[in-house]
Amino acid sequence: MTDERESSSSHSGPAAADAIAFALRMAQASPAPMLLVRGDTRDVALNAACAALPGMTVGAQQWTPLARVLPDCGDLIDELLNGVRPDAEHVVDAPASYRLALSPLTDARGAIVGLLGVAQPRGAVHELDRLVALSPIGVVRYRLDGTIVDCNRAFLDMLGLGRADRDAGLSWRGLTPPEWREADDAGIARLREHNVMPLFQKEFLHRDGQRVPVLVGAGNLETDRNQGYAVVVDISARREAERALADSEARFRVITNAMPQMVWTTLPDGFHDYYNDQWYRFTGAPPGTTDGEGWNGMFHPDDQALAWGRWRHSLATGEPYEIEYRLLHHSGQYRWVLGRALPVRDERGAIQRWMGTCTDIHEQKLTEDALREADQRKDEFLAMLGHELRNPLAPIRSAASLLPLAKNDPARIEHIGRVISRQSTHMTGLIDDLLDVSRVTRGMIELDREDVAVRHLVDEATEQARPLIEARSHLLSIANEAEGSVVNGDRKRLVQVLSNLLSNAAKYTPAGGRIEVRVTVADDMVRIAVRDNGIGMAPDLVDSAFELFRQGKRTPDRAQGGLGIGLALVRSLVQLHGGRVSAASAGEGLGSEVTVTFPLRVRAPLAALDSSEGAMPAQGSLRVLVVDDNADSAELVAMYLRMVGHVVATEFNAAAALEKARSFKPEVCFLDIGLPDLDGNELARRLRRLPGLEATRLAAMTGYGQPLDRMSSAAAGIDAYFVKPVAMDELAAWLAQQRAA
């Protein structure tokens, strides 16, 4: 992706083009017959006087192949352009032959870029003298001793002189500043040897003492080798333009280097020719190494194609360039930057160059990503919160509907009361966790400190978490290697920390898993580790496990995911007690370990903790199958449906539901979507495939209520969708419609 540019040729490049353009303008302004040969193409351009010579068939100011103008001097031209000969004379044969003096044309670096020729037709001396007198270019007739024999008005005006000065006698050396005389002597030596002096720059003295920069070329007369003519071109305007350009470039560099952004410019074709200091400081690239298209290699490999394609589009259309990409930093890392460029146009609208900037937006980009992730986590948290609150509300609402129907049945009322108590306790715990997080983050928690045995903390936490552990048939083991350890802290909060860790382990471990609690002492610190063989954590989740609202991968099973506040609360409470908390996992599917460490208060001989383990939990008109892993919710719905006349069976997981459906042949199924072994949508698909259940009506009864959840269930063939808590009269009304159908 680089331009094919001739950097080694002496006949091309910006400097060569400038020299050729200047010489062409000088020739066009001269009354003397002159022509110009380009070094790169060997094309020839004639001024008006040269085109008017007898025998010339080429128009003025037109680039024409050399063979048409000078058909017999190709070898001579090559020698002059290659520096083999410093200058030459050539007699052109034509209907009226003329003498042609050729001299090399050099650019600002001294490289030969072309040839300048002055033609003198025979028998045209008087016409030439008249043209010289009228020429706007200075013409001087001289002797080799430095005496100026004659000069035209243009030369006199150039130096502020008059005819009286010319008549009194002028000296070439006298008009030349001392520091230029050595260069003049070298030029005269060349005149003596070759009869031609190639164009070169020097200065003359103006009458007012100022220096006049000029471009000079000279040649001796064929009839008198001691005399000749010199052409003198005032290049003051050019010098002033060059100084103005240099000043402008200097100001441009000062301004761009004072900017905090990286600044760059390109030629109209997109060739990068300038970068400010900030670019090199940011990238660490050596100056010049990113010129041309070298910049593209500084981009992140994943961004190169897009950046290059966008830049090509801007070059082709002239549209502004804007893109975000990752740029290689001097640290070796890639940082996000914003690249912008605008075309600089002339008065005709043509693009002269492109001006661009690169702005470091890495921190802004990271902040945007963090905000986007936080917003996503907030949405996930709110969805999960809605689910978690609806689950206990569902059996409570069902119980409320059942109470009027069971007013004459004390046993059922007692059972309903126990359900309401359990579910309200669960909901209270969720709300307490939310309030605890709020109070901790605002620094409003006050600890009621006391000395408490670590064994008692573990016992109480295990007792709180045991129902969940037993419900999922986990094997729990406790190893105490810190007999008699005592810590100082808020007993309730410390139990809350350990209970949270045990509950997390139970939720994120498939049924029948193992949970281990190990208590050790080292370096006056008590270390309590809770380890499981559950779903594990990916490295990025391990690093952020204790951030607020950070959850594991959400699955339809509500036992996985959670509110994402538990570990954040754990970390805050542990830190309030002067402790530390950490998480570790070998990877997804390989289990996790969370460890809390507290300062040891004292170590006294206390009874050892007993090992214990969990046990497997106990199980329990239209034919209706209710499937819900929340046993309270399932039983209350079933109780209500039985009381309104339906035949009801209940199951608490998908596998059991499929087995029950084969024998029970339900006409209606109410399915929870968040089941522990198989989500309700997949269960619906499998129920549809059972013989005899093709026409069974399926309804979702779940805590998930987002539009995407409803769409997923509809795609699975579920006929109706009820979001917990469900009003029992709505279920009865819908069932009545199905019975009528």
Side-chain angles (χ1 to χ4, degrees), residues 567-584:
L567 289 181
L569 183 58
V570 164
R571 179 180 63 178
S572 298
L573 292 175
V574 169
Q575 290 174 346
L576 284 175
H577 284 83
R580 300 187 302 272
V581 61
S582 62

Side-chain angles (χ1 to χ4, degrees), residues 621-672:
S621 110
L622 290 174
R623 292 186 305 279
V624 181
L625 175 61
V626 178
V627 185
D628 196 329
D629 64 331
N630 187 318
D632 285 340
S633 179
E635 289 173 2
L636 286 172
V637 170
M639 185 184 299
Y640 177 86
L641 295 180
R642 290 189 187 106
M643 294 179 70
V644 296
H646 299 291
V647 179
V648 186
T650 58
E651 291 296 344
F652 309 109
N653 60 63
L658 287 169
E659 190 64 29
K660 173 68 73 173
R662 291 186 174 93
S663 58
F664 184 62
K665 300 295 183 182
E667 296 167 283
V668 175
C669 294
F670 288 106
L671 308 178
D672 184 18

Side-chain angles (χ1 to χ4, degrees), residues 286-580:
T289 57
T290 53
D291 288 352
E293 272 70 51
W295 53 273
N296 200 38
M298 303 296 293
F299 296 164
H300 191 286
D302 295 343
D303 301 336
Q304 289 184 11
L306 177 63
W308 185 236
R310 193 76 59 83
W311 180 230
R312 277 185 174 143
H313 175 77
S314 293
L315 292 176
T317 63
E319 296 177 5
Y321 173 73
E322 182 168 333
I323 187 174
E324 293 180 0
Y325 49 71
R326 286 159 290 182
L327 186 63
L328 184 61
H329 190 252
H330 64 77
S331 64
Q333 304 297 316
Y334 286 96
R335 291 181 64 87
W336 282 100
V337 301
L338 171 64
R340 284 175 170 165
L342 292 172
V344 180
R345 302 177 184 271
D346 61 17
E347 62 278 1
R348 298 170 306 189
I351 296 176
Q352 298 299 298
R353 61 175 41 252
W354 289 80
M355 298 287 299
T357 60
C358 293
T359 306
D360 186 348
I361 58 169
H362 192 69
E363 301 305 326
Q364 173 186 336
K365 195 79 171 177
L366 295 183
T367 301
E368 290 175 356
D369 292 343
L371 290 174
R372 192 177 301 111
E373 181 183 0
D375 188 60
Q376 179 182 351
R377 282 164 50 188
K378 181 244 333 176
D379 291 343
E380 293 173 354
F381 165 74
L382 292 175
M384 187 59 69
L385 177 61
H387 177 274
E388 291 293 321
L389 292 177
R390 286 190 183 106
N391 270 334
L393 277 175
I396 291 174
R397 185 167 185 177
S398 299
S401 299
L402 280 168
L403 281 174
L405 301 176
K407 58 186 177 181
N408 297 321
D409 189 340
R412 286 190 175 181
I413 290 177
E414 182 180 356
H415 178 71
I416 291 170
R418 288 196 299 269
V419 169
I420 293 174
S421 177
R422 280 197 301 271
Q423 297 300 326
S424 61
T425 299
H426 175 62
M427 180 178 288
T428 300
L430 291 174
I431 296 172
D432 284 345
D433 279 350
L434 288 170
L435 293 176
D436 279 345
V437 168
S438 175
R439 286 193 289 264
V440 169
T441 54
R442 290 182 293 161
M444 297 179 63
I445 288 287
E446 292 185 5
L447 300 180
D448 185 10
R449 287 184 175 273
E450 61 177 307
D451 288 345
V452 57
V454 175
R455 185 195 68 182
H456 295 157
L457 296 176
V458 175
D459 284 346
E460 291 185 36
T462 303
E463 188 62 29
Q464 288 190 15
R466 187 175 295 279
L468 179 59
I469 293 173
E470 291 180 348
R472 297 182 68 81
S473 303
H474 295 319
L475 177 65
L476 173 65
S477 64
I478 302 174
N480 179 24
E481 301 174 10
E483 296 291 348
S485 299
V486 175
V487 296
N488 182 265
D490 188 315
R491 183 189 190 101
K492 177 183 176 182
R493 295 301 184 183
L494 292 176
V495 170
Q496 183 181 4
V497 166
L498 299 180
S499 175
N500 200 309
L501 297 185
L502 286 167
S503 298
N504 256 16
K507 287 192 295 184
Y508 288 101
T509 301
R514 296 190 309 277
I515 301 173
E516 303 172 3
V517 179
R518 182 172 295 276
V519 184
T520 58
V521 173
D523 300 326
D524 294 328
M525 300 292 287
V526 178
R527 182 176 180 270
I528 307 172
V530 178
R531 185 173 185 176
D532 62 64
N533 65 340
I535 64 173
M537 291 185 282
D540 62 327
L541 185 56
V542 172
D543 295 338
S544 59
F546 299 99
E547 295 177 9
L548 190 60
F549 306 143
R550 183 67 172 179
Q551 305 174 3
K553 182 179 179 181
R554 177 185 171 186
T555 69
D557 177 7
R558 68 182 178 88
Q560 296 181 16
L563 296 182
I565 62 177
L567 289 181
L569 183 58
V570 164
R571 179 180 63 178
S572 298
L573 292 175
V574 169
Q575 290 174 346
L576 284 175
H577 284 83
R580 300 187 302 272

